[in-house]
Amino acid sequence: MNLGMPEILVILVVALLLFGPKKLPELGRSLGQSIREFKRGAQEIREELEKSVDVREEKGPEGARLAREKPVSEASSKAPEVSEPQEERKA
């Protein structure tokens, strides 16, 4: 999308007419903050993905396989203790 100077001026005039001179700076600030937050979030996701790829490459094929598997917690890896069946008492 390539906007020239005439198109930008038309957009600004329409925005000025719709929102008025008092609201326009406020809208510009909020739009700028939204764009900054979006870029920051996208950068964090990109860094996390690159970090994940780097870790898998360092570990080799074995590490990549282990990274895909779901880790097992200690509590679920222990077998439940089973008591020996008690002999029934005869009355």
Side-chain angles (χ1 to χ4, degrees), residues 56-74:
R56 286 185 180 166
E57 287 176 355
E58 288 176 4
K59 290 182 179 180
E62 179 75 14
R65 183 184 59 79
L66 292 174
R68 284 191 301 259
E69 294 177 359
K70 187 175 184 179
V72 179
S73 66
E74 285 185 31

Side-chain angles (χ1 to χ4, degrees), residues 2 12 18 22 33 36-37 62 85-86 91:
N2 197 5
L12 289 175
L18 287 175
K22 292 183 181 179
Q33 288 174 348
R36 263 193 307 275
E37 288 180 29
E62 179 75 14
Q86 298 177 354

Side-chain angles (χ1 to χ4, degrees), residues 29-70:
R29 264 192 300 280
S30 64
L31 181 63
Q33 288 174 348
S34 300
I35 291 172
R36 263 193 307 275
E37 288 180 29
F38 179 78
K39 285 182 178 180
R40 188 178 305 131
Q43 181 65 28
E44 288 175 4
I45 291 171
R46 186 178 305 120
E47 289 172 358
E48 193 66 32
L49 287 173
E50 288 174 357
K51 199 181 301 183
S52 174
V53 169
D54 289 343
V55 168
R56 286 185 180 166
E57 287 176 355
E58 288 176 4
K59 290 182 179 180
E62 179 75 14
R65 183 184 59 79
L66 292 174
R68 284 191 301 259
E69 294 177 359
K70 187 175 184 179

Side-chain angles (χ1 to χ4, degrees), residues 3 7-8 12 14 32 56 58 70 73 79 83 89-90:
L3 292 176
E7 290 88 0
I8 293 174
L12 289 175
V14 170
R56 286 185 180 166
E58 288 176 4
K70 187 175 184 179
S73 66
S83 61
R89 295 184 188 178
K90 294 183 180 178

Side-chain angles (χ1 to χ4, degrees), residues 79-87:
E81 295 181 21
V82 178
S83 61
E84 294 182 22
Q86 298 177 354
E87 295 179 22

